[in-house]
């Protein structure tokens, strides 16, 4: 494949390069594109140096697959340009996720939607919605999911490199018992604290992040009737997002059947605390493309509900790796030749 990575010098773009190599993606040629600020720099791919080219319309000539991770405003301008040049774009921004002509894809859940690309753009979902749906899909196949209540524990890296720099400075001061510097990327002190409003607050009282989880989960699962009620929280963890989930079903689903389904589900690493004492933690998920699931138990207040705990690397499965997996499916299914 002739590939282009847009936003190649950002945190997710950097991981896209690494994941392409790790997963042995069939690259015939590759180019790396970025803004004027980064154009002219050098990046490494498969042990070789490559120049970072300026993001411009002419750069997409002959490209078959574009992996893009840019702000939404940049995506709105350049992803359609790349598509018109003949490429299929896997776009990591939020710009196209709710566009009815752009499939919103988690390969383990709804890869079949890749056959319904109308604008040449595949949307890569939100970093919470991706692992949430990976965990929900095998359960939904057994007993229809009707409602999901989820509280997230989202790491500092969700704010990108600037978030990690901010958190590191805070954590160093907090750990040393010194005054914590004012936050520069997060909305409030994160060291020794949790932050419920690290995102823009929308008119409905939910944050922008929470509304993404609501809308995207329904689209990925292919069922607009599923109720979704999220509370998104930033926690003092560097990498990997965690989720405490209560799932209501149309009928009772036993813990044993749910565990068995999750244990064999694609993309899931099931950790059974009752069998082997293991439970998912961010340190397990960091650096992995899998979704870690555990703590499956009966909701004592609802016979039709189960509770579970999910953890995934937000930069990999929540962004870069899911995008590369979408590209793999495009090739596997003969959509890109």
């Amino acid at each position: 494949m002739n590939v282009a990575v847009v936003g190649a010098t950002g945190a997710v773009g950097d991981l896209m390069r690494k994941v392409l190599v790790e997963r042995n993606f069939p690259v015939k040629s590759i180019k790396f594109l970025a803004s004027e600020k980064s154009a002219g720099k050098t990046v490494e791919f498969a042990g070789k140096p490559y120049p970072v080219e300026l993001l411009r319309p002419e750069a997409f000539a002959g490209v078959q697959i574009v992996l893009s991770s840019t702000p939404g405003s940049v995506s709105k301008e350049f992803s359609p340009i790349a598509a018109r040049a003949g490429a299929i774009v896997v776009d990591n921004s939020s710009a196209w996720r709710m566009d009815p002509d752009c499939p919103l894809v988690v390969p383990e859940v709804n890869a079949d939607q890749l056959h319904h690309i109308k604008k040449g753009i595949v949307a890569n979902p939100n970093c919470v919605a991706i692992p949430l749906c990976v965990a929900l899909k095998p359960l939904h196949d057994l007993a229809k999911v009707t409602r999901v209540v989820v509280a997230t524990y989202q790491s500092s890296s969700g704010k990108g490199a600037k978030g990690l720099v901010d958190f590191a400075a805070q954590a160093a001061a907090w750990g040393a018992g010194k005054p914590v510097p004012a936050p520069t990327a997060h909305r409030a002190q994160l060291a020794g604290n949790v932050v419920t409003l690290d995102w823009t607050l929308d008119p409905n009282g939910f944050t922008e992040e929470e509304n993404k989880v609501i809308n995207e989960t329904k689209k990925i699962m292919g069922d607009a009737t599923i109720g979704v009620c999220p509370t998104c929280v930033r926690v003092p963890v560097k990498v990997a997002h965690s989720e405490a989930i209560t799932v209501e079903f149309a009928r009772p689903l036993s813990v044993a059947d749910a565990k068995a389904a999750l244990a064999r589900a694609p993309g899931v690493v099931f950790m059974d605390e009752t069998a082997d004492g293991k439970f998912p933690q961010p340190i397990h998920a960091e650096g992995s493309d899998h979704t870690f699931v555990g703590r499956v138990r009966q909701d004592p207040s609802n016979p039709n509900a189960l509770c579970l705990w999910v953890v995934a690397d937000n930069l990999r499965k929540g962004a870069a790796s899911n995008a590369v997996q979408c590209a793999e499916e495009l090739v596997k299914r003969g959509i890109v030749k």
Side-chain angles (χ1 to χ4, degrees):
M1 296 292 112
N2 298 323
V3 179
V5 178
V6 179
T9 58
V12 174
D14 178 62
L15 269 177
M16 284 175 173
R17 288 188 279 116
K18 293 178 181 178
V19 173
L20 285 167
V21 174
E22 290 174 4
R23 298 181 68 90
N24 197 27
F25 188 81
V27 173
K28 180 180 179 182
S29 69
I30 192 164
K31 59 175 64 178
F32 302 98
L33 310 176
S35 65
E36 291 183 1
K37 181 181 178 181
S38 297
K41 293 181 178 180
T42 299
V43 296
E44 182 180 302
F45 179 76
K48 298 179 182 179
Y50 285 79
V52 177
E53 301 178 30
L54 179 64
L55 176 60
R56 65 195 193 286
E58 296 79 13
F60 297 109
V63 173
Q64 295 168 283
I65 293 178
V66 174
L67 299 174
S68 178
S69 183
T70 68
S73 58
V74 177
S75 172
K76 287 179 181 178
E77 178 181 359
F78 282 97
S79 287
I81 291 173
R84 287 195 294 270
I88 290 183
V89 183
V90 182
D91 190 285
N92 193 56
S93 78
S94 61
W96 305 99
R97 291 175 184 165
M98 298 313 298
D99 188 313
D101 292 332
C102 298
L104 185 66
V105 176
V106 178
E108 298 93 334
V109 180
N110 64 339
D112 59 299
Q113 291 300 306
L114 292 170
H115 293 284
H116 305 286
I117 303 171
K118 297 180 181 179
K119 290 185 175 178
I121 300 170
V122 177
N124 205 39
N126 170 272
C127 52
V128 170
I130 289 173
L132 174 60
C133 291
V134 169
L136 290 179
K137 179 62 165 66
L139 306 180
H140 187 61
D141 289 346
L142 287 179
K144 183 181 183 298
V145 172
T146 59
R147 184 169 184 255
V148 179
V149 179
V150 55
T152 72
Y153 302 68
Q154 295 180 229
S155 66
S156 173
S157 60
K159 283 281 189 180
K162 62 182 180 180
L164 288 173
V165 170
D166 186 17
F167 177 49
Q170 292 183 33
W174 185 79
K178 298 178 179 179
V180 176
T184 57
H186 297 291
R187 295 276 297 275
Q189 178 180 321
L190 188 58
N193 196 29
V194 297
V195 182
T196 61
L197 286 177
D198 211 24
W199 302 268
T200 302
L201 191 63
D202 284 345
N204 67 347
F206 284 76
T207 63
E208 180 184 27
E209 183 83 346
E210 290 161 350
N211 282 319
K212 288 177 183 177
V213 176
I214 293 169
N215 296 324
E216 294 180 30
T217 299
K218 294 180 180 185
K219 184 174 179 180
I220 296 164
M221 297 298 292
D223 189 344
T225 69
I226 295 175
V228 183
C229 183
T231 300
C232 292
V233 182
R234 189 78 68 192
V235 297
V237 170
K238 288 176 64 177
V239 177
H241 291 353
S242 305
E243 307 176 26
I245 306 165
T246 297
V247 191
E248 297 180 12
F249 302 94
R251 63 171 182 81
L253 175 62
S254 72
V255 169
D257 286 347
K259 286 183 174 183
L262 288 163
R264 61 176 180 264
V268 170
V269 173
F270 182 66
M271 304 179 80
D272 192 345
E273 78 285 353
T274 60
D276 53 23
K278 295 180 179 180
F279 55 96
Q281 302 164 54
I283 56 174
H284 297 137
E286 184 175 358
S288 173
D289 293 340
H290 298 297
T291 297
F292 292 74
V293 184
R295 299 296 320 281
V296 179
R297 56 209 187 275
Q298 176 68 53
D299 180 345
S301 67
N302 185 343
N304 285 18
L306 298 176
C307 304
L308 54 151
W309 177 254
V310 171
V311 185
D313 186 320
N314 54 296
L315 300 178
R316 291 186 64 106
K317 183 54 185 170
S321 299
N322 195 78
V324 173
Q325 288 174 297
C326 287
E328 291 172 343
E329 287 289 335
L330 290 169
V331 176
K332 176 183 175 182
R333 292 166 180 265
I335 297 167
V336 177
K337 300 177 181 179

